[in-house]
Amino acid sequence: RKTVRAQNQRELDKKVRELKNSVEKGKDLHTNATFGFWAERWYYDLKEPSGLAPATLTQLRSALKVLNAAFSDVVFKDISFSTLQRFVNNYSKTPLERTGSLPSKRTIKNVVNTFNAVAEYAAESDIPAAVPFKKVAINKNAPEKKRRALTEKEIDHIRETEHPAQIAAMIMIFAGLRRGELVPLRWADIDLDREIINLKRFVLVENSQFVEKNAGKTYSARRIIPLPPVLVDYLKDYRRSGKATSMLVCPKEDGKMHSPSSFRVMWDGYIKLLNYRYGFAEPHE
């Protein structure tokens, strides 16, 4: 038995025809199955129903997309250690399509670990030679993303530079909110007299979109965030200026909630403006 999945009827019919042709030609659909076949089974039969966070599943899908581009139609047992190592070497030197930058060491490790997880799953199903390659080398010079606290001067730059993303940056800096808490934040959640934010909801990324979730029905399930005077003054001035035209604190231009892509575009635009105004030659997040 083989499960066939597709995004639409046309694609499904094509896959069924290909499967029938393989059967008629006497192809062994088990031991000679491709990496793409086992990757799909691993994800849909094991990982998707496992209760992992949507962000984790998104990372796994991203890694599988990279791997399938190279190995989807390759018989799994024909993938050698040297083949995978050459693939990893080339991948580490190829700029990412979305950002134009080289993949980080963490991204490369995610791809290698995902390959090995699929290999372990296939090996447990008695597929000859489908074994994980634990000794794949990752370029030690691959870029690493390191986080640090902003300096006082950088905070001053943000306070002095108006932009649609400025309010997001101010709330993140002075109230410690994460993106997932900021995106669905409403003005009704902010009590400027009591100087608090009452976090009642958050968003998760599912299928490349933000999906709103309630923090919980009980008082203890919600976060109460105290606001420092500098942020209280900023938010009061922001409201007095007439900029707050939506029930959302940081909406899109049309007043609706951001999507992951629209938030990234807005944020990247603010970073570029700050870089340009304060003389950084390279992106300085």
Side-chain angles (χ1 to χ4, degrees):
R1 169 177 283 182
K2 184 181 189 308
T3 301
V4 180
R5 295 181 176 86
Q7 297 295 323
N8 52 59
Q9 187 64 44
R10 182 177 179 181
E11 182 183 350
L12 180 63
D13 292 341
K14 180 181 177 181
K15 287 187 175 182
V16 170
R17 286 196 302 272
E18 292 174 347
L19 177 61
K20 289 181 177 179
N21 289 335
S22 297
V23 172
E24 291 172 359
K25 293 177 181 178
K27 182 179 178 181
D28 184 340
L29 297 178
H30 186 66
T31 59
N32 286 328
T34 62
F35 172 84
F37 168 79
W38 284 106
E40 184 177 47
R41 286 190 60 173
W42 171 78
Y43 182 79
Y44 286 105
D45 296 345
L46 188 64
K47 287 302 176 184
E48 189 170 72
S50 64
L52 293 174
T56 302
L57 293 175
T58 298
Q59 290 180 346
L60 294 177
R61 287 196 299 269
S62 177
L64 287 176
K65 182 178 180 180
V66 171
L67 290 165
N68 277 323
F71 301 119
S72 178
D73 297 325
V74 180
V75 175
F76 208 145
K77 64 185 180 66
D78 292 340
I79 301 175
S80 65
F81 173 82
S82 60
T83 299
L84 181 62
Q85 183 65 70
R86 286 195 300 272
F87 163 76
V88 171
N89 292 345
N90 291 332
Y91 176 65
S92 65
K93 294 183 288 187
T94 304
L96 298 174
E97 183 177 341
R98 186 179 70 84
T99 63
S101 58
L102 294 176
S104 68
K105 188 172 294 184
R106 179 180 178 182
T107 299
I108 300 170
K109 285 182 177 179
N110 183 46
V111 170
V112 173
N113 290 340
T114 300
F115 178 92
N116 285 335
V118 176
E120 289 176 353
Y121 180 66
E124 289 178 359
S125 302
D126 298 324
I127 302 306
V131 295
F133 300 118
K134 299 294 187 179
K135 295 184 178 181
V136 174
I138 296 175
N139 186 351
K140 64 180 181 179
N141 295 320
E144 293 188 73
K145 292 183 178 180
K146 296 182 179 180
R147 296 183 179 181
R148 61 168 179 79
L150 295 176
T151 65
E152 289 295 327
K153 181 176 289 188
E154 288 167 341
I155 293 175
D156 287 342
H157 293 338
I158 291 171
R159 295 178 63 181
E160 295 165 0
T161 306
E162 291 191 12
H163 186 273
Q166 184 188 33
I167 189 170
M170 290 289 291
I171 293 174
M172 287 177 170
I173 292 170
F174 292 107
L177 268 65
R178 298 173 289 240
R179 183 187 67 169
E181 296 167 331
L182 173 71
V183 167
L185 185 67
R186 292 159 169 72
W187 285 107
D189 302 329
I190 302 177
D191 189 330
L192 293 177
D193 293 328
R194 296 174 60 197
E195 300 183 352
I196 61 170
I197 293 178
N198 186 0
L199 288 179
K200 301 177 181 179
R201 58 193 67 83
F202 61 95
V203 294
L204 295 174
V205 179
E206 297 180 6
N207 298 320
S208 300
Q209 295 295 324
F210 284 135
V211 177
E212 189 171 315
K213 308 284 186 179
N214 289 326
K217 295 182 179 180
T218 64
Y219 182 82
S220 60
R222 302 174 182 177
R223 288 178 64 205
I224 306 297
I225 309 297
L227 302 180
V230 62
L231 184 56
V232 172
D233 291 342
Y234 171 82
L235 293 175
K236 286 181 177 180
D237 290 342
Y238 190 92
R239 300 207 68 171
R240 281 195 293 264
S241 70
K243 296 177 183 177
T245 57
S246 169
M247 69 174 183
L248 294 168
V249 177
C250 185
K252 295 192 295 184
E253 290 184 1
D254 60 4
K256 297 180 180 179
M257 190 172 76
H258 273 288
S259 66
S261 59
S262 67
F263 189 90
R264 168 55 65 178
V265 169
M266 177 190 71
W267 191 261
D268 287 348
Y270 194 36
I271 297 299
K272 289 179 181 178
L273 176 60
L274 290 166
N275 288 341
Y276 174 78
R277 179 168 293 184
Y278 297 103
F280 294 109
E282 300 295 334
H284 190 76
E285 295 190 49

